[in-house]
């Protein structure tokens, strides 16, 4: 990465929250000097900045705060950290607790890598798990397609096209719902909603073009979609995305959102477990009753996953873009699920 630019520094300060009653606000002053300077020093060879973290509770456990410094010269740097934790009390002035100072030396790196690196984050985990999820999904779909009397080769062609177009749809959906964010040409910023919408449309249109029974194709596909989602959410946990809110509960899992590493609600694991459970249930139904399916299993499976997803959203550390979108989506998903189940039982 030495030849790529711009460079940035990724600096992590580890600390234990003060034992005094909180929550605390932590401020870390970071001061850096570039070591390998041969020419007269410039503003690009030094920096001083402050990283802040609000709502740090005394019993939240070991915490890692990662801050990135951009716009400085590439090279080897020495950085010192001085931190304080403050908590408002009944007096006029807040209580201040000084945290341990620290220092370290290290190299700058490509800015894109610096934004992704943090304690608890495994570089490359997300794309690796997505590839694994897609592979397992295609295998399962092929097996179920044969059970439904569908030509596996034709189904595979449609599935590959749906995967590519679905990825484009996931990126487009994310951009439409996050217009205020700066555009980034990377794998980050993908919405599963966009993938499902575009992939489903591709299966319907592509299946009709290929002469496949669309209802059976969708029923053979929904377990595969759920398997892919279950595996992909494990990649989210390892990559530090879609992280849960911080918690002091013992059943919390230490994980990172690429900025703060702390004990969090394991919402990625919860969603992965729910998707895996639905995948098993829909696989059994798709395998045992292929002749009675006409797309209702697909509708029920997707609606069930949407219900679980909406129930888990409040546990994620991301703000919602609309005030009532979650409630409306949850209500529609519940009605759709109930309708699909009723139609299956009456049929």
């Amino acid at each position: 990465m030495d030849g790529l630019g711009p460079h940035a520094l990724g600096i992590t300060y580890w600390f234990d929250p003060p034992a005094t009653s909180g929550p605390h606000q932590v401020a870390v002053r970071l001061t850096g000097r570039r070591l390998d300077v041969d020419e007269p020093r410039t503003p690009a060879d030094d920096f001083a900045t402050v990283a802040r973290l609000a709502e740090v509770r005394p019993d939240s456990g070991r915490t890692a705060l990662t801050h990135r410094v951009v716009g400085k010269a590439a090279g080897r740097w020495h950085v010192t950290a001085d931190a304080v934790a403050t908590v408002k009390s009944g007096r006029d002035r807040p209580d201040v607790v000084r945290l341990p100072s620290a220092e370290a030396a290290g190299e700058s790196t490509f800015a894109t890598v610096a934004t992704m690196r943090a304690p608890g984050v495994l570089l490359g985990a997300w794309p690796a798990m997505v590839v694994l999820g897609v592979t397992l999904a295609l295998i399962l779909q092929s097996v179920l397609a044969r059970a439904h009397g569908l030509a596996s080769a034709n189904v595979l062609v449609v599935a590959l096209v749906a995967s590519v177009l679905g990825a484009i749809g996931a990126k487009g959906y994310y951009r439409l719902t996050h217009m205020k964010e700066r555009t980034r040409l990377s794998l980050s910023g993908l919405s599963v909603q966009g993938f499902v919408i575009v992939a489903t449309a591709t299966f319907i249109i592509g299946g009709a073009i290929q002469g496949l029974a669309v209802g059976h194709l969708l029923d053979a596909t929904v377990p595969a979609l759920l398997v892919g989602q279950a595996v992909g959410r494990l990649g989210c946990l390892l990559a530090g995305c879609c992280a849960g809110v911080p918690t002091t509960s013992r059943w919390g899992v230490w994980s990172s959102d690429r900025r703060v590493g702390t004990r969090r609600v394991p919402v990625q694991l919860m969603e992965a477990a729910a998707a895996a459970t639905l995948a098993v249930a829909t696989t059994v139904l798709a395998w045992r009753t292929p002749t009675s399916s006409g797309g209702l299993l697909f509708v029920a499976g997707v609606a069930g996953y949407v219900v679980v997803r909406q129930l888990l959203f409040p546990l994620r550390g991301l703000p919602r873009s609309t005030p009532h979108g979650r409630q409306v989506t949850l209500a529609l998903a519940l009605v759709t699920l109930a309708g699909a189940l009723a139609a299956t039982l009456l049929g």
Side-chain angles (χ1 to χ4, degrees):
M1 298 297 177
D2 288 344
L4 300 178
H7 264 222
L9 288 167
I11 308 160
T12 298
Y13 176 75
W14 289 84
F15 67 95
D16 293 306
T20 55
S21 61
H24 300 84
Q25 294 181 343
V26 175
V28 184
R29 179 174 175 81
L30 301 168
T31 305
R33 287 178 57 84
R34 190 161 72 95
L35 300 177
D36 47 359
V37 179
D38 298 326
E39 304 293 334
R41 302 189 71 85
T42 68
D45 299 320
D46 300 275
F47 72 83
T49 185
V50 177
R52 302 182 186 277
L53 181 58
E55 297 293 325
V56 179
R57 300 191 176 276
D59 49 355
S60 58
R62 189 75 165 158
T63 302
L65 174 60
T66 300
H67 184 76
R68 282 86 180 184
V69 177
V70 298
K72 299 299 178 180
R76 184 168 180 79
W77 287 77
H78 179 267
V79 180
T80 60
D82 298 287
V84 294
T86 60
V87 57
K88 290 184 178 180
S89 60
R91 298 187 295 271
D92 294 336
R93 302 179 65 180
D95 294 333
V96 178
V97 178
R98 184 168 298 279
L99 300 177
S101 299
E103 61 178 306
E107 299 283 344
S108 63
T109 188
F110 183 38
T112 301
V113 174
T115 59
M116 295 187 294
R117 289 179 59 186
V121 174
L122 183 61
L123 287 180
W126 188 83
M129 296 303 286
V130 167
V131 170
L132 175 60
V134 170
T135 302
L136 295 176
L138 291 175
I139 294 173
L140 178 59
Q141 184 191 43
S142 177
V143 173
L144 294 177
R146 287 195 295 269
H148 282 255
L150 303 174
S152 298
N154 294 346
V155 171
L156 179 60
V157 171
V158 177
L160 292 175
V161 174
S163 298
V164 174
L165 295 181
I168 298 174
K171 189 68 175 180
Y173 188 98
Y174 184 88
R175 294 308 319 156
L176 290 175
T177 54
H178 296 76
M179 298 293 290
K180 296 182 180 180
E181 290 186 6
R182 186 175 61 181
T183 302
R184 294 176 296 174
L185 297 177
S186 65
L187 291 176
S188 61
L190 301 174
S191 292
V192 66
Q193 298 96 317
F195 179 89
V196 173
I197 292 171
V198 175
T200 300
T202 304
F203 277 117
I204 294 174
I205 297 173
I209 294 174
Q210 292 281 356
L212 300 171
V214 174
H216 287 275
L217 175 60
L218 293 176
D219 286 348
T221 298
V222 67
L225 288 175
L226 293 167
V227 165
Q229 187 64 10
V231 178
R233 282 303 173 204
L234 298 179
C236 290
L237 175 66
L238 298 174
C241 62
C242 308
V245 296
T247 181
T248 58
S249 174
R250 292 183 177 180
W251 57 270
V253 174
W254 199 99
S255 60
S256 173
D257 63 357
R258 299 180 186 172
R259 180 175 181 264
V260 180
T262 187
R263 191 183 303 138
R264 296 177 177 274
V265 175
V267 65
Q268 304 104 318
L269 294 178
M270 296 164 69
E271 190 169 339
T277 301
L278 288 171
V280 172
T282 53
T283 296
V284 172
L285 292 174
W287 179 264
R288 292 177 61 88
T289 59
T291 57
S292 62
S293 299
L296 290 176
L297 181 60
F298 177 86
V299 173
V302 172
Y305 177 69
V306 172
V307 169
V308 172
R309 184 174 171 83
Q310 297 304 315
L311 291 175
L312 292 177
F313 260 135
L315 301 179
R316 292 176 59 174
L318 295 175
R320 302 299 301 144
S321 56
T322 59
H324 305 294
R326 172 179 169 269
Q327 293 85 344
V328 173
T329 303
L330 178 59
L332 291 175
L334 286 171
V335 171
T336 302
L337 177 59
L341 293 176
T344 301
L345 293 176
L346 294 176

